[in-house]
Amino acid sequence: DVKVTQSSRYLVKRTGEKVFLECVQDMDHENMFWYRQDPGLGLRLIYFSYDVKMKEKGDIPEGYSVSREKKERFSLILESASTNQTSMYLCASSLGLLTGTYNEQFFGPGTRLTVL
Amino acid sequence: DAKTTQPNSMESNEEEPVHLPCNHSTISGTDYIHWYRQLPSQGPEYVIHGLTSNVNNRMASLAIAEDRKSSTLILHRATLRDAAVYYCILRAPHQGGKLIFGQGTELSVKP
């Protein structure tokens, strides 16, 4: 069974704290993604990575950074958490894109982050 | 990016077929049509995708209009476990692996 795991299901942090959200996949996928999901706004892409040490900004990268030191692990970092970063965070992975090939994304269960 | 329009919500009875519509009138010739669904308290999961021809898999069928301006996801016999938010997504080859989610259709299934 394919697996994308996220380090926590629920997390509570204080404003100003540095927060690390970890995502691990066991499918040897090249691509990894971080989304956040908010009521009324749907899923929005924060950052993605096509390879180790590579990263690309998504639609809402402000206030976030990422790290991909190993192929199986993609970390989302909130340098100084703020209350407007309270959200559900979802990680996903997929095989690398080949011309004419569609590779489905596999999602983790999500981390519900509350920033007080 | 081409946009999709879906009804906010739909209801179905258990064991009956469900037809979930999606309009995408600005679709370009190379955009693929994808469907994902999100069960309560879970991450989204892939359902099906297609380009021009109708597609079937073990989960569902995808019917694509001849002009490609609309498509319909068909669940042949809805079960209570099919209650979820269903997302219709267009993906262009130049977008790489990115998915752009809209609001989706919340499907409820009555026993």
Side-chain angles (χ1 to χ4, degrees):
Chain A
D1 239 8
V2 295
K3 266 278 180 51
V4 178
T5 56
Q6 296 183 228
S7 48
S8 310
R9 286 303 301 264
Y10 299 94
L11 206 53
V12 180
K13 295 290 181 181
R14 298 216 173 267
T15 302
E17 279 193 77
K18 190 168 185 175
V19 181
F20 292 86
L21 302 181
E22 305 285 341
C23 175
V24 177
Q25 50 94 2
D26 65 0
M27 298 165 279
D28 202 33
H29 283 171
E30 288 80 9
N31 298 342
M32 296 189 75
F33 308 84
W34 274 107
Y35 298 84
R36 64 177 281 178
Q37 184 170 29
D38 302 287
L41 296 175
L43 278 93
R44 293 176 292 167
L45 183 64
I46 305 171
Y47 266 98
F48 59 104
S49 168
Y50 287 138
D51 202 351
V52 175
K53 296 196 187 294
M54 294 184 67
K55 60 185 179 186
E56 299 268 352
K57 291 181 181 178
D59 299 317
I60 50 162
E62 296 78 19
Y64 303 94
S65 62
V66 290
S67 171
R68 189 148 180 222
E69 296 296 319
K70 293 186 177 181
K71 190 176 185 181
E72 66 271 18
R73 188 179 296 269
F74 193 33
S75 302
L76 181 69
I77 303 154
L78 287 66
E79 295 288 343
S80 177
S82 63
T83 54
N84 63 12
Q85 291 179 310
T86 291
S87 185
M88 170 68 83
Y89 289 88
L90 289 154
C91 174
S93 72
S94 72
L95 285 168
L97 184 70
L98 304 173
T99 302
T101 299
Y102 172 71
N103 295 307
E104 66 182 275
Q105 288 190 17
F106 294 87
F107 283 80
T111 295
R112 185 165 293 283
L113 173 67
T114 302
V115 182
L116 301 175
Chain B
D1 295 326
K3 203 178 154 159
T4 62
T5 305
Q6 298 177 254
N8 288 334
S9 62
M10 288 183 67
E11 267 190 7
S12 170
N13 293 317
E14 201 177 7
E15 299 193 1
E16 289 186 359
V18 183
H19 290 232
L20 295 160
C22 181
N23 288 320
H24 29 78
S25 57
T26 59
I27 191 171
S28 76
T30 54
D31 286 345
Y32 281 79
I33 302 159
H34 307 287
W35 285 81
Y36 278 72
R37 73 179 185 180
Q38 187 171 19
L39 302 170
S41 303
Q42 294 189 29
E45 63 176 352
Y46 168 82
V47 178
I48 201 166
H49 78 279
L51 183 61
T52 56
S53 306
N54 295 344
V55 184
N56 300 297
N57 67 20
R58 62 174 181 81
M59 285 180 77
S61 296
L62 176 60
I64 301 172
E66 204 169 320
D67 63 5
R68 299 206 332 123
K69 291 184 188 297
S70 65
S71 59
T72 302
L73 180 72
I74 302 164
L75 307 179
H76 295 285
R77 282 181 75 228
T79 69
L80 298 177
R81 288 172 295 179
D82 290 322
V85 178
Y86 286 79
Y87 297 98
C88 170
I89 301 165
L90 301 182
R91 188 178 72 90
H94 70 266
Q95 287 179 322
K98 292 196 297 181
L99 295 174
I100 299 172
F101 286 80
Q103 295 304 307
T105 296
E106 183 168 11
L107 175 67
S108 56
V109 180
K110 294 184 290 185

